[in-house]
Amino acid sequence: AAKRAGGSCHVLFEPHMGSDASAQLELQNDLRHALERGEMSLHYQPKIDGQDGQVCGVEALLRWSHPQHGMVSPAVFIALAERFGLIVQLGNWVIEEACRQMAEWKHSGIVIRVAINISAHQLRDNSLVTRIEQALARHGVPASQLLCEITETVAMEDMQATQRTFDGLARIGVFLSIDDFGSGYSSLNYLRQLPARQLKIDRSFVHDLEFSEDARSVVNAVVKLAHALNLGVVAEGVETAGQRDILLEMQCDELQGYFFARPMPADALLAWSLGEQGKSLLDNVPPVGLL
Ligand code: C2E
Ligand code: MG
Ligand code: MG
Ligand code: MG
């Protein structure tokens, strides 16, 4: 009974619906054709600078608009794509589309750093660095405008592949971020050697900030660790003014979450940012209508 999702960001197909075997098989088949049928798109979620409250970048998040199920959650289809060998193809499309979008924004006078998410398979793909380099060159986008997010779990899984790919991406000038930090197990000695620029604190810690002393201690420690290692720190999943205030007090460099803006299509992002222009999002977000 899912309506056609169109440009809406509502996820109508939830993870639990992907658990039944025949539904999975059907989804997997549909996923194989999703790209050629033009069902994939990128939504963009702003990241806010903790110093001046301005938008300092966006994270590109893959969206699948299924003809029957509506928007399928990435939690469902990314896992499927990983399992059935479709993730590299999808990931390549994300690289191409993000670069194309940066070039389009540039033509409208907007230069913004875009983060893309890199999967485990892509990290092990020897052609990733060249592919990214070529996509950037083809669209005339400087490498420093692209940021690649790799989750802590994936980065620690195959340290050799991580080191190789991180070194290659850093060499061409792409920025690197360790995503969902705190949810896995990092070797700090190893983390120190990676040419990453930032740590992204996992949403679960941000979620508990207001009611858990432990969560506050962990986030505070991660911010200090990041700064000691000369890394920037980003908090994801910021949903309330209270969380924002705690994170700013802890000197978190960037904030991202529904409190500021949801992920949205490129044209909506443009309209949104024009509406916010000149404002500091840290001061001017009204303290009402919180989740
Ligand atoms: P992620 O990279 O950690 O992305 C952040 C997720 O948190 C996104 O979920 C975003 O919509 C959501 N989020 C942002 N702010 C808030 C908030 O305030 N509250 C809550 N509850 N959630 C918030 P999304 O878009 O469903 O993506 C889930 C995951 O799927 C991503 O987690 C990422 O690991 C993966 N993913 C998404 N797009 C891609 C892609 O292009 N390639 C790969 N390999 N993975 C992707
Ligand atoms: Mg991410
Ligand atoms: Mg994340
Ligand atoms: Mg996350």
Side-chain angles (χ1 to χ4, degrees):
K3 62 176 188 322
R4 283 200 69 109
S8 113
C9 353
H10 296 287
V11 172
L12 300 172
F13 197 85
E14 289 298 335
H16 69 271
M17 298 164 79
S19 58
D20 129 40
S22 69
Q24 279 222 6
L25 193 65
E26 190 205 309
L27 262 193
Q28 176 202 328
N29 271 320
D30 293 345
L31 191 54
R32 284 183 200 285
H33 305 287
L35 274 181
E36 70 204 41
R37 290 177 183 157
E39 294 165 1
M40 290 290 172
S41 64
L42 289 179
H43 282 193
Y44 299 88
Q45 186 179 34
K47 297 180 181 179
I48 312 302
D49 187 309
Q51 295 280 328
D52 60 13
Q54 304 289 312
V55 177
C56 56
V58 293
E59 177 174 10
L61 294 156
L62 192 55
R63 293 291 179 262
W64 179 17
S65 175
H66 189 284
Q68 283 91 42
H69 302 304
M71 286 300 204
V72 184
S73 166
V76 173
F77 75 80
I78 296 283
L80 269 183
E82 295 255 13
R83 199 133 38 93
F84 297 104
L86 302 168
I87 192 72
V88 171
Q89 194 194 354
L90 277 182
N92 288 342
W93 183 82
V94 170
I95 292 165
E96 182 63 28
E97 175 61 14
C99 290
R100 190 203 59 74
Q101 188 60 65
M102 281 190 274
E104 191 185 310
W105 279 330
K106 192 172 160 191
H107 282 292
S108 328
I110 296 155
V111 174
I112 192 154
R113 178 168 294 139
V114 174
I116 57 174
N117 291 282
I118 301 290
S119 72
H121 283 84
Q122 285 179 286
L123 195 70
R124 285 192 218 96
D125 176 3
N126 282 316
S127 59
L128 180 76
V129 176
T130 314
R131 182 176 294 276
I132 288 180
E133 191 173 27
Q134 288 173 349
L136 288 165
R138 191 163 49 248
H139 292 284
V141 176
S144 59
Q145 217 183 310
L146 184 71
L147 191 146
C148 289
E149 298 189 359
I150 294 101
T151 65
E152 179 185 32
T153 308
V154 166
M156 298 297 144
E157 226 165 51
D158 182 343
M159 299 201 183
Q160 243 178 327
T162 303
Q163 189 78 54
R164 176 170 41 80
T165 304
F166 271 51
D167 286 343
L169 288 173
R171 181 178 43 76
I172 64 170
V174 168
F175 284 26
L176 293 151
S177 177
I178 310 284
D179 205 351
D180 300 348
F181 190 78
S183 64
Y185 306 90
S186 275
S187 152
L188 294 183
N189 200 34
Y190 166 64
L191 183 69
R192 190 170 63 86
Q193 294 168 41
L194 287 177
R197 295 273 185 153
Q198 63 176 212
L199 299 183
K200 225 173 152 179
I201 302 174
D202 192 53
R203 209 163 72 199
S204 57
F205 299 108
V206 175
H207 183 266
D208 293 344
L209 272 180
E210 286 166 290
F211 21 88
S212 159
E213 179 77 51
D214 287 348
R216 279 197 294 278
S217 300
V218 170
V219 172
N220 202 21
V222 171
V223 173
K224 296 229 155 70
L225 170 74
H227 289 163
L229 292 174
N230 242 327
L231 301 170
V233 58
V234 187
E236 65 172 18
V238 181
E239 292 184 353
T240 70
Q243 292 166 354
R244 172 198 63 187
D245 293 344
I246 294 168
L247 289 161
L248 289 177
E249 172 130 13
M250 289 178 182
Q251 313 281 320
C252 184
D253 302 295
E254 295 176 23
L255 293 84
Q256 178 183 353
Y258 296 167
F259 179 73
F260 301 101
R262 295 202 170 231
M264 53 193 134
D267 50 349
L269 181 81
L270 195 60
W272 176 88
S273 71
L274 290 174
E276 304 298 334
Q277 216 157 53
K279 291 190 206 167
S280 167
L281 288 162
L282 297 177
D283 305 328
N284 288 349
V285 175
V288 287
L290 301 183
L291 297 174

